[in-house]
Amino acid sequence: MPKIKQNILCLMSAFLSLWALTSMLKLDAGRYPISNSVFSVVLFVGLFWLIRAAYLRINKRLAVVSGVFGFFFSAFMICGANILQRQYAFLNKPFTWLRILAGVPLFMALIVMILTTLPKWNAVTKISKLENFSTRVFGWKKVFFISWLLIFLAWVPGLIASFPGIYAYDSVYQIGYYLSGSIYLHHPLIHTYLLGFCVVTLGNLFGSPEIGMLVYSLFQMLCLSATFAAICYYMARRNTSVLIRAAFLLIFMFLPVNALMSFSATKDVIFSALFALMILGLLLIAESPSLLKKNLFCLVCVLVTFFMMIFRSQGIYIFFFGMIFCFIWLRKQWKRVLAIFSACVVLFLVYSGPITTLCKGKKFDGLREMMSIPCMQLSRVMLYAPDKLTAEEKEIIEDYIPGYKHYSTFTSISDSMKNTFNAARFREKPGEFIKLWARIGLRCPTTYIDAFLRITVGLWYPDMNYRDPGAYHPYWEYISTQQNAQGSFFIVERTPPSGMEWLSNFYDTLTYKNSYQKIPVISMLFSSGFMVWIVFLYIAWCLYQRKYRYLVPASFLVALWLTLLLGPVVLYRYVYPIVMSVPLLISFVLTEESASQERTNQ
């Protein structure tokens, strides 16, 4: 194509992208903050040069990959801004689709630049003197223990300020189970016993539940910091540049949410650590399938995967989903893959059967949890489109979901609706509810879609604001659950020592006022949607490079994301396994080009 035509095409694409950008930002459109501003000229010039630079690098395969993912990213931004600001995605409006299509060139250009330049960042950031000094003084064999020590010590001030840890989330109910001897399987059996043993049994032994809670916090800190240290070790073995490794190490050490998670009494933390270790193992297998021939390596994989499955209920679903792709992309090693699969299944069956029975685990009715999305959808129809329902349908919905009116306030958390779900009627007539839900969905598809998008927006829209006005639950917790409760709850008091109140106040402000959102770029480190986007970019890189075997780790990450989309609310702890896995994906992509050359030369 002649140069003049290229420039005209890039100019048109830049203008359309700028037009679409005005609908992606959370701004007061009535004041025309971009379109009627001198900054529109600056943005237009910047977009033109970005799109032109990408155009010079693009090829047919890259155009297809970047076009597909660019479309989804554009749709995420347009729909996210709409649903957050106006409560509707407006997918039934042609104007919305025009905006989405207009935004595709912008994201195509970004994806093209990322996929073509990212593999070079590792070499560019290497400084020979620094690399030689690091190798001579530390060496990759020492990286794990040095990183482990530094990360753990960096979190200690946070633990002191939050002494004896954050007794929050579901821990108060798990302790209740442990004390009563009725261990309901609503929460993982192994975690309930671990938490109960530390807080209650050791607490009684040491004369204080706070000391028992401290023991649990220290144990969890050791597990989480060791996992981050393993990631640092993996980066060193992959020959990631010292500057990039140092940047990630600083994030592991000083990003406040890592410290908060390390001493928060929730099952998600240990699950996140195990999940990240599983992803690390899958990356190693994808790079060198011959590792499956080593019995010790396979044994470690089985144990890590098994414990991952039992520390969260959706672990088993993630496992089966991911293993499908393992059999497809590792079919040459199908015997070893089958052996690992079989061993994990047998261990899980033994654990969920005789061991659970021996430990007095009681079945929990998870029907209401499964009804999170349907309850939100039907509640939205009742309040937002009642004219589309018959009197009989309204009566049936009200009987199934007595708390549907709560949707007017809580559009991003299903608890108030699903907790009132008439499970007894559903069991008597499951077909009635399913047909009702399907029939109304066909009649009100956009209402169903909007309900789904509103409750899941944080999982795909990186610009989501917290605290979410549509959910009473904070993005993460700092105040201990039932701290001031009276009655039957088992209380663990949290008292910051003298001189550390400032740090405790900092965590409190960060948690409940989400002050980090005022800092550009840094705020994305706390964004669930941004971390999911990085996973999508990794998938795009695999497809562009035709490295399909490397999609094996991504399949487990996608499986986790899909289970989260069916959940009752978006919380940071749910996405934390993805957050911990992202550094592994980035390091893998940064170093794959040089690693491939080394394998070729061997």
Side-chain angles (χ1 to χ4, degrees):
M1 184 183 293
K3 190 173 182 179
I4 184 65
K5 290 185 178 179
Q6 293 179 10
N7 289 335
I8 291 174
L9 179 62
C10 291
L11 284 168
M12 292 175 61
S13 297
F15 183 81
L16 290 172
S17 296
L18 183 59
W19 178 65
L21 189 64
T22 60
S23 295
M24 297 178 187
L25 302 179
K26 301 163 293 185
L27 300 170
D28 180 6
R31 295 180 181 272
Y32 310 108
I34 292 181
S35 59
N36 188 37
S37 169
V38 68
F39 288 107
S40 67
V41 179
V42 177
L43 289 170
F44 176 71
V45 173
L47 288 170
F48 168 74
W49 285 110
L50 171 66
I51 292 172
R52 188 173 183 276
Y55 185 87
L56 296 176
R57 296 168 178 263
I58 205 165
N59 55 50
K60 181 182 286 189
R61 185 174 185 83
L62 189 53
V64 173
V65 172
S66 62
V68 171
F69 284 88
F71 173 82
F72 283 108
F73 287 168
S74 181
F76 289 161
M77 291 302 296
I78 296 291
C79 293
N82 284 344
I83 204 76
L84 184 62
Q85 296 181 110
R86 303 176 183 86
Q87 296 299 317
Y88 296 91
F90 298 113
L91 288 176
N92 57 336
K93 306 292 184 183
F95 201 69
T96 300
W97 292 101
L98 288 175
R99 294 271 190 180
I100 291 173
L101 293 174
V104 172
L106 166 60
F107 288 103
M108 281 186 68
L110 287 171
I111 293 170
V112 167
M113 297 303 293
I114 290 172
L115 296 188
T116 56
T117 62
L118 189 61
K120 301 175 183 178
W121 292 1
N122 192 53
V124 170
T125 55
K126 281 190 174 183
I127 302 174
S128 57
K129 291 184 179 180
L130 188 60
E131 299 292 331
N132 293 335
F133 173 79
S134 175
T135 303
R136 186 174 64 256
V137 176
F138 300 105
W140 56 262
K141 292 184 178 180
K142 301 177 184 177
V143 167
F144 175 81
F145 294 103
I146 294 174
S147 300
W148 191 5
L149 179 64
L150 290 175
I151 295 169
F152 183 85
L153 291 178
W155 294 345
V156 169
L159 175 63
I160 295 174
S162 310
F163 177 86
I166 302 174
Y167 181 63
Y169 301 107
D170 300 310
S171 55
V172 64
Y173 304 107
Q174 291 178 266
I175 293 298
Y177 295 163
Y178 186 84
L179 287 169
S180 68
S182 298
I183 314 295
Y184 286 97
L185 301 180
H186 180 45
H187 304 293
L189 181 73
I190 186 173
H191 185 261
T192 299
Y193 269 104
L194 172 63
L195 182 64
F197 174 77
C198 291
V199 175
V200 178
T201 304
L202 293 183
N204 290 336
L205 180 65
F206 294 123
S208 167
E210 286 72 31
I211 298 299
M213 179 66 196
L214 178 63
V215 172
Y216 175 84
S217 296
L218 289 170
F219 172 76
Q220 188 168 268
M221 286 174 66
L222 286 169
C223 293
L224 192 62
S225 56
T227 303
F228 277 125
I231 294 172
C232 292
Y233 177 79
Y234 174 79
M235 288 181 171
R237 288 299 306 268
R238 290 284 295 184
N239 201 24
T240 308
S241 76
V242 173
L243 285 178
I244 294 175
R245 283 157 46 196
F248 276 110
L249 178 60
L250 291 174
I251 290 173
F252 299 158
M253 293 170 62
F254 298 115
L255 190 69
V257 70
N258 288 326
L260 287 172
M261 286 289 105
S262 73
F263 45 77
S264 292
T266 171
K267 54 189 175 285
D268 302 276
V269 175
I270 297 178
F271 171 77
S272 298
L274 291 164
F275 186 90
L277 290 175
M278 181 185 68
I279 296 298
L280 193 158
L282 290 167
L283 285 170
L284 292 174
I285 293 171
E287 180 186 7
S288 302
S290 59
L291 283 173
L292 290 172
K293 297 179 181 179
K294 298 183 177 181
N295 294 331
L296 180 60
F297 179 83
C298 291
L299 176 62
V300 172
C301 287
V302 168
L303 292 176
V304 169
T305 304
F306 165 68
F307 280 104
M308 182 277 298
M309 289 191 290
I310 66 176
F311 261 95
R312 270 207 70 90
S313 57
Q314 73 256 49
I316 187 66
Y317 305 111
I318 295 169
F319 170 72
F320 278 108
F321 183 92
M323 288 304 297
I324 293 172
F325 295 93
C326 285
F327 280 112
I328 294 173
W329 287 316
L330 298 172
R331 53 187 174 274
K332 292 183 179 179
Q333 293 79 27
W334 70 270
K335 291 183 179 179
R336 280 285 176 163
V337 174
L338 179 61
I340 292 175
F341 173 81
S342 302
C344 290
V345 170
V346 169
L347 285 174
F348 184 82
L349 290 175
V350 172
Y351 170 82
S352 59
I355 291 180
T356 297
T357 302
L358 184 64
C359 295
K360 301 178 181 179
K362 293 188 176 182
K363 290 184 178 180
F364 177 80
D365 185 1
L367 179 60
R368 287 191 173 94
E369 296 295 324
M370 296 170 59
M371 290 296 143
S372 288
I373 298 300
C375 283
M376 297 296 277
Q377 292 171 328
L378 290 170
S379 296
R380 187 179 180 98
V381 173
M382 283 285 282
L383 295 176
Y384 284 51
D387 56 308
K388 300 288 184 69
L389 300 173
T390 66
E392 182 183 2
E393 288 172 335
K394 291 179 182 178
E395 184 179 343
I396 296 174
I397 293 174
E398 189 168 359
D399 186 49
Y400 271 114
I401 314 170
Y404 75 91
K405 291 182 180 179
H406 289 291
Y407 186 84
S408 61
T409 305
F410 304 124
T411 55
S412 289
I413 184 169
S414 68
D415 288 5
S416 297
M417 280 66 73
K418 71 177 175 61
N419 288 343
T420 68
F421 183 74
N422 190 339
R425 178 167 178 171
F426 179 87
R427 288 192 178 86
E428 289 178 5
K429 303 176 181 179
E432 177 191 54
F433 180 81
I434 294 171
K435 290 177 182 178
L436 174 73
W437 175 76
R439 183 171 66 251
I440 295 176
L442 292 174
R443 193 186 310 154
C444 310
T446 56
T447 307
Y448 268 32
I449 292 171
D450 287 342
F452 176 76
L453 294 180
R454 185 60 186 90
I455 193 174
T456 64
V457 61
L459 295 172
W460 45 267
Y461 180 59
D463 293 6
M464 181 61 189
N465 290 107
Y466 293 100
R467 296 178 65 170
D468 188 343
Y472 54 79
H473 205 295
Y475 194 34
W476 55 72
E477 296 185 22
Y478 186 61
I479 297 176
S480 292
T481 303
Q482 305 296 340
Q483 181 75 30
N484 301 313
Q486 301 294 325
S488 60
F489 288 109
F490 187 87
I491 303 302
V492 176
E493 296 287 346
R494 198 186 77 218
T495 52
S498 177
M500 296 299 289
E501 293 89 352
W502 66 272
L503 185 55
S504 179
N505 293 334
F506 168 78
Y507 284 142
D508 187 87
T509 301
L510 181 83
T511 301
Y512 296 104
K513 295 185 179 179
N514 301 99
S515 53
Y516 60 87
Q517 294 176 138
K518 299 176 182 179
I519 309 173
V521 181
I522 299 299
S523 63
M524 289 295 101
L525 296 177
F526 299 84
S527 169
S528 297
F530 183 72
M531 296 301 165
V532 172
W533 276 35
I534 294 177
V535 175
F536 289 153
L537 286 172
Y538 172 80
I539 295 172
W541 174 81
C542 292
L543 295 174
Y544 170 58
Q545 295 289 343
R546 293 186 173 89
K547 297 182 181 292
Y548 304 117
R549 194 172 67 229
Y550 298 164
L551 289 170
V552 170
S555 64
F556 286 81
L557 287 159
V558 170
L560 172 61
W561 182 66
L562 291 175
T563 63
L564 296 180
L565 289 175
L566 301 176
V569 65
V570 176
L571 301 180
Y572 188 81
R573 64 183 176 115
Y574 295 160
V575 189
Y576 201 51
I578 297 177
V579 174
M580 291 189 66
S581 302
V582 158
L584 292 167
L585 302 182
I586 293 175
S587 177
F588 188 84
V589 173
L590 287 174
T591 56
E592 177 55 21
E593 188 173 289
S594 58
S596 296
Q597 291 176 355
E598 289 181 8
R599 289 195 297 268
T600 302
N601 295 332
Q602 289 177 354

